[in-house]
Amino acid sequence: MAVEVKILPQLPTEILVKILCCDTVSHVDICRLAFTCHRMRDICLTENIWKCKFFQCWPNVLPKTKYHIPVAWRKLFIRHYTCIQNVNRFLQNLAEICYNYEEVPPDKFHIILQYIDEDENNRDFITSYLHLIASDPVENLTKKYYAGKTLQHIQHHSLSKAWHSYLSLPINEQKLEIGTIYMHNWHCFLETTNIEDILQKLDTLAYEVKKELAKFRPDHPTLGKEDLYDTIDTNLWNPTDTRDILIAMNNILYKKHRFHAEEYSSMDLLNINK
C-alpha cells in the first residue's frame, strides 16, 4: 500500500520562502496555502515573499529604489491590489455611463479623485496602473480609452495646483525650464516628465558646457558663476562671448551627445501645398 508523503511541510523555512518567491507561484496560491496550517500561515506572512509578489505583479509600477527603509510589503500589496480593483471598477462604470458622450464630463471623475485624496500614495499607484493600461497593445480598446481620459484628468487636476503655485512666484523666480515641463506634462499626459530628473540633466549639461568653454576661453565672463538668474537681466555679452558659448554648446550637445534637429524645417509647416 502506497504511503502518502507530505514533503512540503517538512522542508526548511528558507527553502519554502524561496519556493513561494518564484514567479510561478501567485499571490492567490500563497493565500490558499496560508489556510492549510499554522506553520504555513506564518511562512506566508513573510515580508520578503510579498515584496517579490509585488514586483512580479507590477514590475513597472514603482521603482525598487524608492524604498530605502523597511516596508510592510504585505500591507502594501493589499493596498495596491485593492486600489487596482477600485480603478477597474471605476473604468467599467465610466464606460457604461459615458458611452454616448463625446467627452467625459469632469464631474464623472470625482470618485477616482476621492481615491487619490484618501492616501497620497494612491496617486502613484493609480497613475502607474493607468499608464500600463493605456500603453498595453493588447488591452481592451474601450478600457484603454477611458484609462487615457482618466489619466489626463488626474494629470490636469494635479498640475493645475502646481501651475497656480508657479505663477504666484515672483517673475525672477519662475524658471523657464519648470514652466516648460509643466506645459509638456499638461499636453503629453502619457509621457510624464519628472521635473527633478530634467533639472538634474540640465545642470549636468550646463556643467559640461562650462567645462568645454573653459578649454578655449578660460577668461569667459560666465565661468566662475554658479547661478546667472540674479544677473540675467543685466548680463549682456558681446558677440564674441556669445559665439563662444554657442560653440561650447554645439560641441557638447551635437558632437558629444549626438543631439539632432528634426528632419523637417519649421518652414515646411507653412507650405500647405507641399
Side-chain angles (χ1 to χ4, degrees):
M1 181 177 179
V3 178
E4 181 180 1
V5 180
K6 298 181 179 180
I7 300 178
L8 195 61
Q10 299 176 2
L11 293 175
T13 300
E14 295 78 7
I15 301 298
L16 286 171
V17 170
K18 287 186 176 295
I19 293 174
L20 296 178
C21 285
C22 294
D23 55 6
T24 54
V25 181
S26 70
H27 62 281
V28 177
D29 297 328
I30 295 176
C31 292
R32 289 172 176 169
L33 182 63
F35 283 101
T36 58
C37 66
H38 290 291
R39 181 169 180 250
M40 289 298 134
R41 182 199 62 187
D42 294 339
I43 293 175
C44 290
L45 292 177
T46 303
E47 290 296 326
N48 192 51
I49 294 176
W50 290 102
K51 178 181 179 180
C52 292
K53 296 302 116 181
F54 185 94
F55 289 110
Q56 286 168 10
C57 290
W58 310 292
N60 301 317
V61 168
L62 291 174
K64 298 180 182 180
T65 56
K66 183 173 182 177
Y67 299 102
H68 302 292
I69 58 176
V71 175
W73 287 102
R74 189 176 69 89
K75 292 183 178 179
L76 186 65
F77 185 98
I78 294 173
R79 187 174 66 191
H80 188 51
Y81 182 82
T82 303
C83 187
I84 284 180
Q85 295 302 309
N86 290 334
V87 171
N88 287 333
R89 195 177 302 112
F90 168 79
L91 293 177
Q92 182 178 354
N93 292 337
L94 198 64
E96 295 173 355
I97 296 173
C98 303
Y99 71 94
N100 59 347
Y101 286 85
E102 290 188 7
E103 288 292 336
V104 181
D107 62 321
K108 302 301 181 183
F109 296 103
H110 72 280
I111 295 178
I112 202 72
L113 295 179
Q114 183 179 348
Y115 292 152
I116 293 176
D117 293 337
E118 288 176 356
D119 190 326
E120 60 181 8
N121 293 316
N122 283 350
R123 185 184 187 279
D124 291 335
F125 289 153
I126 291 174
T127 54
S128 297
Y129 182 58
L130 290 173
H131 269 288
L132 290 177
I133 296 174
S135 59
D136 189 346
V138 298
E139 183 60 81
N140 177 275
L141 292 179
T142 300
K143 188 175 182 180
K144 289 181 65 173
Y145 173 80
Y146 287 106
K149 289 294 183 181
T150 304
L151 189 61
Q152 182 182 33
H153 188 82
I154 293 174
Q155 186 81 330
H156 288 179
H157 178 76
S158 175
L159 281 175
S160 61
K161 299 178 181 178
W163 186 251
H164 285 301
S165 298
Y166 173 80
L167 293 178
S168 65
L169 295 172
I171 296 297
N172 61 338
E173 295 182 16
Q174 295 179 11
K175 296 186 177 182
L176 181 61
E177 58 269 32
I178 294 181
T180 303
I181 294 171
Y182 283 156
M183 292 182 64
H184 172 273
N185 289 346
W186 183 277
H187 295 285
C188 304
F189 55 91
L190 291 179
E191 301 176 2
T192 303
T193 302
N194 184 277
I195 292 179
E196 288 74 18
D197 291 342
I198 294 297
L199 293 180
Q200 183 177 4
K201 291 178 181 178
L202 289 174
D203 287 341
T204 301
L205 288 174
Y207 172 78
E208 292 181 11
V209 170
K210 293 177 72 172
K211 189 175 180 181
E212 177 71 16
L213 183 62
K215 293 180 180 179
F216 60 91
R217 275 295 307 277
D219 60 337
H220 197 281
T222 62
L223 299 178
K225 294 181 180 293
E226 295 297 329
D227 193 350
L228 296 177
Y229 283 111
D230 295 335
T231 59
I232 195 68
D233 293 333
T234 58
N235 190 358
L236 301 177
W237 299 308
N238 60 47
T240 301
D241 293 337
T242 303
R243 184 180 65 250
D244 289 340
I245 293 176
L246 293 176
I247 292 174
M249 292 176 63
N250 180 74
N251 292 341
I252 295 299
L253 297 179
Y254 295 102
K255 294 183 178 180
K256 179 179 179 180
H257 293 291
R258 303 295 183 182
F259 280 42
H260 59 85
E262 296 291 346
E263 295 182 357
Y264 58 85
S265 169
S266 59
M267 294 301 296
D268 293 337
L269 300 177
L270 302 179
N271 189 358
I272 60 176
N273 295 321
K274 186 174 180 180

